[in-house]
Amino acid sequence: MPRLLIVKTGDAYPEVVEQYGDFEALFQQILAPHGFEAEVFDARHEPLPELADIDGLYITGSHAMVSDAEPWSETLKPWLVAARERNLAMLGVCYGHQLMAAAFGGQSGYRPAGRESGTHQVTLTDSGHDDPLLGTLPAHFPVQLTHAQSVLEAPSGAVVLARNAHDANQALRYGPRQWSVQFHPEFTPEVMRAYLARQVDKLRDQGEDANALMRGVTTTPEANSLLISFARTVAEREGAVA
């Protein structure tokens, strides 16, 4: 089996952790039925692991902000650069997406339009249709989103794979085996609704109705499938397809 590592960059809300599991558990719950296991490295508290011992990386979301440049987050940047130089497979999610973009020379920060939360559609670009990871997905598909920061400027050489009206950089590729997505492929509808319940006031302040967004939450099977497709891509490279 491929040696998969989940880089944990934060914790979900306590009620989410209690009812559904923390970020890393949500990843594992999707991977396990398909025969994949992934260890967890908490980037905030543990020393950096050896890249030679890893076949593929998932980088989770966080309630931290990339632009705050916390020491543990800044320490991850050169490690991610080294991972890309080794052509290690990577899939960053939300904070992981923004961190990878910043590490590789782009810019991440607060969205001028405010928070994007709920189930929203994203659209593949022409490059997305041809991408080895996202290319099997429909032209338009629903995703779970909750973020106040975005990739404001993609790194030089990065390829935009998906976008929507809220965010021009919903999915990026930085090399042959390095991807990141702003949305949460690990989220279930229940987790998404729990996040919206926490954001009622913030969303009201920017003119949005959290209750309406909750009613609009749907399943996102195409987005969920990316976690499995990534693991299979790594397994194929290592000659151990599940």
Side-chain angles (χ1 to χ4, degrees), residues 67-87:
S67 63
D68 287 344
E70 296 189 37
W72 62 264
S73 185
E74 292 298 290
T75 298
L76 277 176
K77 288 181 177 180
W79 186 74
L80 292 173
V81 170
R84 186 176 68 162
E85 290 172 349
R86 295 175 68 98
N87 198 29

Side-chain angles (χ1 to χ4, degrees), residues 64-68 94-95 97-98 108-111 114-116 146-152 167 182:
M65 298 295 171
V66 169
S67 63
D68 287 344
C94 197
Y95 189 93
H97 167 71
Q98 298 160 20
S108 295
Y110 284 98
R111 298 178 66 247
R115 179 177 297 276
E116 181 185 26
T146 172
H147 64 118
Q149 293 202 339
S150 290
V151 175
L152 303 177
D167 194 326
Q182 180 56 67

